[in-house]
Amino acid sequence: MNETFSKLVKELQAIVGEGNATDDRAICTSYSRDQHWYFVPAKNPACVVRPGTKEEVRAVLMLANTHKIPVIPYSTGINVRGLTIPVHDGSILLDLSRMNRILEINPDMKTATVEPGVTFGMLLEQTQKYKLRPAFPDAPLTVSVLANYYLRGIYQTSAADGHDHTISYEMILPNGETLKTGSRALSEMPYFRYGVGPDFAGMFCAHPGTCGVVTELTAKLY
């Protein structure tokens, strides 16, 4: 690891804490493969960063943007098709699993707002208290709700895909600005898919972190 990147790791540690940013080779290697290991070549990220808040995500993205360093978002680790495997040398793997809060369950609006590290199992445990449930994908309960819906996961029992269960989300762009879709853009109420103007939720769906990092998502409950 060159001296410049070692300095960058120190800056990342200052943002997320010393124990949450590392260029340790063994740790980086543990992120080098996914479920499709047999046809996606393994490649190590240069470092792994584990933010705990969206403000830390913002600071990491702005730092990476300044140095023109690729960033790969990673949620709960049930990944396929190489979506979280680095393409370029010197990439940052942004592990969002520490951001695992259910921010709101609204039984009246039948919605849940979650961070990237919330799994379907975690959400179901809480929504059952209201006799509600999320739509389940063809995937384990350990899959991220946010990532599956946002990346249009497949549902065997419905013609809809994951994005049809998405109402709105909040994305942090590489320059640190925040993009809010649907009614989030107009108020603090994230319960409506469409706001004024273009459907930005549809415009940015299904990109695996190439435009920014989604830190909150509001989904339908049933």
Side-chain angles (χ1 to χ4, degrees), residues 109 111 167-168 181-184 187 189-195 218:
M109 298 301 293
T111 63
I167 298 174
S168 65
T181 72
S183 58
R184 282 175 179 267
S187 70
M189 297 177 62
Y191 310 121
F192 304 99
R193 169 70 181 266
Y194 302 104
T218 299

Side-chain angles (χ1 to χ4, degrees), residues 6-182:
S6 296
K7 181 181 178 182
L8 178 71
V9 172
K10 294 294 185 184
E11 292 183 70
L12 291 167
Q13 289 174 340
I15 295 171
V16 299
E18 185 175 352
N20 293 310
T22 181
D23 57 359
D24 180 85
R25 184 174 181 181
I27 293 175
C28 290
T29 298
S30 71
Y31 290 86
S32 67
R33 293 183 180 274
D34 66 11
Q35 309 298 312
H36 285 166
W37 57 268
Y38 47 89
F39 68 82
V40 178
K43 187 176 182 64
N44 282 20
C47 70
V48 175
V49 181
R50 302 179 65 242
T53 67
K54 60 184 176 183
E55 292 309 317
E56 290 181 356
V57 172
R58 190 188 319 278
V60 171
L61 291 182
M62 291 175 67
L63 180 62
N65 194 42
T66 298
H67 294 282
K68 306 303 179 188
I69 297 172
V71 176
I72 301 99
Y74 175 106
S75 54
T76 60
I78 310 299
N79 305 302
V80 296
R81 300 174 186 171
L83 294 180
T84 61
I85 307 302
V87 175
H88 303 287
D89 293 332
S91 297
I92 295 172
L93 193 294
L94 193 68
D95 182 344
L96 302 166
S97 59
R98 288 180 62 214
M99 297 176 63
N100 59 1
R101 295 183 301 159
I102 299 172
L103 300 172
E104 182 190 60
I105 295 174
N106 189 317
D108 295 322
M109 298 301 293
K110 293 187 178 180
T111 63
T113 301
V114 299
E115 292 184 325
V118 174
T119 67
F120 280 96
M122 293 165 61
L123 183 57
L124 177 62
E125 183 179 6
Q126 298 304 315
T127 58
Q128 283 181 326
K129 298 174 183 178
Y130 304 96
K131 297 183 179 180
L132 295 169
R133 63 168 180 81
F136 291 109
D138 182 21
L141 288 177
T142 50
V143 164
S144 164
V145 175
L146 183 152
N148 187 272
Y149 284 172
Y150 183 70
L151 295 177
R152 306 185 71 170
I154 298 172
Y155 291 72
Q156 288 187 340
T157 57
S158 171
D161 65 26
H163 200 63
D164 292 303
H165 306 295
T166 299
I167 298 174
S168 65
Y169 53 80
E170 180 174 303
M171 178 195 297
I172 299 178
L173 304 177
N175 64 359
E177 294 183 4
T178 300
L179 172 71
K180 297 182 179 182
T181 72

Side-chain angles (χ1 to χ4, degrees), residues 195-218:
V196 176
D199 175 20
F200 285 107
M203 183 181 299
F204 287 99
C205 77
H207 77 82
T210 53
C211 297
V213 175
V214 179
T215 54
E216 293 181 15
L217 181 142
T218 299

